[in-house]
Amino acid sequence: MKADPAGVLTGSHYLDGDVACGEGAMAAGCRFVAGYPITPSTEVVERIARRFPTLGGTFIQMEDELASMAAVVGAAWTGTKTMTVTSGPGFSLMMENIGLAAMMETPCVVVNVQRGGPSTGLPTMVGQGDVMQARWGSHGDYEVIALCPQSPQEAFDLTIDAFNLAEIYRLPVMFLMDECVGHMTEKVVIPEADAIEVEPRRLTDKSPEEFGPYQINGGQIPEFARAGDGYRFHTTGLTHDERGYPVMNAECHDASVRRLVGKIRDNADSIVRFEEEGMDDAEVVVVSFGITARVARLAVEEARSRGIRVGFLRLVVIWPFPEKRIRELAGSVAAFVVPEINLGQIALEVERVAAGQAVTWPVNHAGGAVHDPDAITEIIVKAAS
Amino acid sequence: MTVATKSTTASQELEHPSAPLLRMERIPHVWCPSCGIGTVVKCYATALERSGVDLDKVSVVSGIGCSGRVAGYLKLDGFHTTHGRALPFATGLKLGRPELLVTVISGDGDLVGIGGNHFIHAARRNIDLLVILINNFIYGMTGGQNAPTTPQQARSSTMPYGNFETPFSLPHLAASSGASYVARWTCLHIRRLTWSIEEAIHKRGFRFIEVIAPCPTLYARLNKLGTGLDAMRFYHDTAVIRNDADTRELDISFQSEITCGKFVDEERPTFLDLMHNHYSDQLGDRYVPTPPEGGMLHEQ
């Protein structure tokens, strides 16, 4: 369906990534946000708090991030599109109820504007150290989807995609921004509402007697009923059967967890998104994401100008990881160069998937600033020789 | 479930009087014989039926622990959430679809131990939630560990020489945090408890009812207090009803008198009242409240 025009601020704007993300959420139909203030993410909810009362939306500042995430999961069961916004320390607190959202198969969006960690780290300065936390942060096996914008325009566009993916796959979608993209101000073009496709919450057609909240009807994703519509359903964070009733045995657990994981892994080809340049003759491929991708592009241009055959792969969706494409490239290139503002997270994935067919060269920076492009160029040169 | 007893003939099958509100296919439940939680479930179900509210609009949210299992046995929209987070989860449900009657039923460790911060803030906001806290003075599900409600001197598995910490007085905590309705009963007071729940269903804001419940398997065994029936005798002999008592005087000591009653009942603006009034004042016609049925985007 098309976006509700009330939420869409059509026009050309000059916005930072945080504000653009908030506008993307409102355009996507988000109408409930619970959050707790944390730098460098707070501008997202400040924007929403200002506009929501005119859109039929509710923003509530909760007492902490545990509560914020719990409220977001609760509100999602009323059929409302919901989101919370945080940065590393708050993201750590949210992991408990991110797991609940995964287990209850609750559509919602979690924005993390990354700063330097661990712990309180660098509150006002950039980091990309939450990549693995976004993937593995809550206990047990589950899958997430995570998107990484490289600009305020993408902060707007991809936030809408994040909401749509949450609806399609019924899970918490991670929106992994970083402080640079969040605080960088650029032109953002917001289209007309009828040019924005939004995925509605699809409610079951079944009667309450026929309905089970985790019946999958031969597919992988259950149908949704919202609280208050007479279905009188039950849901739980415990391992459960298709009625949503707890079942404490290995067989049910195995089937449930495999389905939670399978609904993303089996659909990875439809979810994975990346952009690539210069792959035709590439001997070396630079793999990057978020703000680092923009820095790395300068290094790729410099290396090309020096005659090095280098390709560029920018990850838009980082989870699920583009395994198929990396595996293909590993068969034809000599090396991957992976700059990222952490001490090696996506590089581990590249190395795992390349499985020895191509060498992986991490280019790490612990946080607090973006890379010096020359540092990346230098590794590209080494990797090519 | 249909229960056939020796006093009935094969053709006469007795149905549980609250069967329409219970998930009978899940019976037998997980609770121990003579645990107090089932009594609270029955009182809640009876109060709901008497209240005349539309049961399709009632949601029950529980946290984790023995009392956390309550949501799973009621035939209502039920949410068994994470440990301590029933109140913020319920806050999201209520704000997402304001027409819902949202009840939180959970235990003392859940709501005021791990969830204590959420408890005081939900009460402070006076958000429209009916909260029934089943207080058995101990962590039952995990095997009898000390709780923030365990009376001084009482033994628990993690206070093997007796508890030396000072417990919360829950009505005082709720009242001083801003709850608009505060009551305490024991599992012996089934009529008063049922009446109190029914009364609270029809009120607004943060409504808090503490129910003192026996835990024969752990609290009573660790403290040599006998059976569930002995607990009922104890409540009978030592509970006193003092409506409107000063909530500063409701502490519970080990095997001391338990003061029951309704202590607070005052209409105050709820979170939603305050929000609507404030945005209407500030934004006038530009204010668009969340519709009672929720802010969902429908297929066009």
Side-chain angles (χ1 to χ4, degrees), chain A residues 1 53-54 56 58 61 63-64 71 74-75 79 96-97 202 226-229 232-238 245, chain B residues 23 25 55-57 72 75-78 80 82 85 88 92 97 117-118 125 286-288 290 293 296 298-299:
Chain A
M1 64 185 271
T54 66
T58 301
Q61 184 170 317
E63 51 273 17
D64 58 30
E96 174 190 57
N97 292 296
R202 297 194 187 281
R226 56 186 196 145
D229 280 353
R232 302 200 196 176
F233 61 85
H234 180 253
T235 181
T236 172
L238 286 170
Y245 291 177
Chain B
R23 297 185 187 278
E25 67 276 22
L55 298 176
D56 286 347
K57 302 289 183 219
K75 196 159 177 55
L76 299 163
D77 289 330
H80 181 221
T82 39
R85 317 301 166 216
R97 190 164 185 174
N117 194 33
H118 311 310
R125 293 186 185 104
R286 293 171 56 218
Y287 174 47
V288 180
T290 299
E293 68 280 11
M296 185 193 164
H298 296 279
E299 276 282 25

Side-chain angles (χ1 to χ4, degrees), chain A residues 290-335:
Chain A
I291 191 61
T292 307
R294 293 180 71 168
V295 181
R297 187 171 279 111
L298 296 175
V300 169
E301 285 167 10
E302 171 63 21
R304 281 249 162 209
S305 74
R306 295 190 203 172
I308 296 169
R309 290 185 292 171
V310 55
F312 184 54
L313 180 71
R314 179 173 78 93
L315 310 183
V316 177
V317 169
I318 57 165
W319 304 119
F321 193 67
E323 295 185 4
K324 190 184 280 182
R325 185 58 182 146
I326 296 282
R327 199 171 289 124
E328 285 167 3
L329 289 169
S332 61
V333 305

Side-chain angles (χ1 to χ4, degrees), chain B residues 138-139 142-146 154-161 218 222:
Chain B
I138 208 155
Y139 284 85
T142 46
Q145 294 78 24
N146 215 68
R155 284 174 197 265
S156 60
S157 72
T158 48
M159 286 283 192
Y161 306 106
L218 290 155
L222 290 168

Side-chain angles (χ1 to χ4, degrees), chain B residues 29 33 39 83 94 98 168 210 218 224 278:
Chain B
H29 53 65
T39 306
H83 198 18
K94 180 66 188 176
F168 272 137
E210 178 187 17
L218 290 155
K224 299 183 169 55
H278 188 68

Side-chain angles (χ1 to χ4, degrees), chain B residues 86-233:
Chain B
L87 283 167
F89 189 102
T91 298
L93 269 179
K94 180 66 188 176
L95 297 181
R97 190 164 185 174
E99 66 179 345
L100 297 180
L101 168 64
V102 183
T103 309
V104 171
I105 307 181
S106 209
D108 48 312
D110 187 73
L111 286 171
V112 299
I114 189 169
N117 194 33
H118 311 310
F119 184 85
I120 58 173
H121 287 280
R124 172 182 64 81
R125 293 186 185 104
N126 198 30
I127 192 153
D128 270 311
L129 297 174
L130 169 57
V131 181
I132 301 173
L133 184 150
I134 302 169
N135 181 4
N136 59 9
F137 302 133
I138 208 155
Y139 284 85
M141 185 70 89
T142 46
Q145 294 78 24
N146 215 68
T149 49
T150 307
Q152 281 182 327
Q153 308 307 325
R155 284 174 197 265
S156 60
S157 72
T158 48
M159 286 283 192
Y161 306 106
N163 176 37
F164 54 80
E165 285 195 25
T166 307
F168 272 137
S169 165
L170 299 182
H172 188 47
L173 179 67
S176 52
S177 301
S180 54
Y181 183 99
V182 178
R184 175 198 275 161
W185 304 102
T186 77
C187 278
L188 184 74
H189 297 93
I190 54 172
R191 282 174 304 198
R192 287 180 173 88
L193 173 60
T194 305
W195 177 83
S196 189
I197 295 171
E198 188 185 348
E199 180 180 62
I201 285 170
H202 292 296
K203 294 193 178 285
R204 306 167 72 244
F206 189 88
R207 292 145 284 166
F208 175 70
I209 300 173
E210 178 187 17
V211 189
I212 306 297
C215 171
T217 306
L218 290 155
Y219 184 75
R221 183 169 56 79
L222 290 168
N223 289 289
K224 299 183 169 55
L225 300 177
T227 65
L229 191 58
D230 291 322
M232 293 298 130
R233 284 195 195 98

Side-chain angles (χ1 to χ4, degrees), chain A residues 30-208:
Chain A
C30 177
R31 293 294 180 268
F32 180 86
V33 171
Y36 185 83
I38 187 167
T39 305
S41 75
T42 312
E43 294 88 335
V44 181
V45 295
E46 287 171 345
R47 180 70 163 206
I48 285 169
R50 184 164 284 273
R51 293 237 292 134
F52 253 13
T54 66
L55 304 178
T58 301
F59 168 70
I60 181 168
Q61 184 170 317
M62 295 299 285
E63 51 273 17
D64 58 30
E65 288 91 345
L66 302 159
S68 300
M69 190 65 215
V72 157
V73 181
W77 282 94
T78 67
T80 308
K81 293 191 180 185
T82 67
M83 178 173 89
T84 187
V85 184
T86 191
S87 187
F91 200 47
S92 294
L93 292 182
M94 287 178 182
M95 286 303 150
E96 174 190 57
N97 292 296
I98 287 172
L100 182 71
M103 194 62 156
M104 285 184 166
E105 300 186 67
T106 310
C108 55
V109 173
V110 181
V111 178
N112 174 1
V113 186
Q114 295 170 91
R115 62 196 225 184
S119 191
T120 314
L122 293 172
T124 63
M125 299 163 90
V126 69
Q128 290 183 312
D130 305 348
V131 166
M132 284 296 178
Q133 188 186 22
R135 168 72 184 80
W136 301 105
S138 199
H139 52 279
D141 282 308
Y142 61 103
E143 288 277 341
V144 296
I145 296 173
L147 300 94
C148 283
Q150 65 166 355
S151 64
Q153 181 67 55
E154 276 197 350
F156 176 83
D157 296 337
L158 296 181
T159 299
I160 296 170
D161 295 339
F163 275 93
N164 289 343
L165 288 163
E167 294 299 327
I168 294 167
Y169 295 103
R170 281 192 63 174
L171 83 174
V173 172
M174 306 291 139
F175 197 65
L176 275 190
M177 303 224 288
D178 53 64
E179 184 275 337
C180 277
V181 170
H183 285 164
M184 166 197 290
T185 301
E186 287 184 334
K187 183 178 176 183
V188 175
V189 177
I190 298 180
E192 301 282 340
D194 60 11
I196 299 173
E197 275 300 323
V198 300
E199 192 65 35
R201 183 71 47 88
R202 297 194 187 281
L203 301 181
T204 184
D205 296 329
K206 289 182 177 161
S207 68

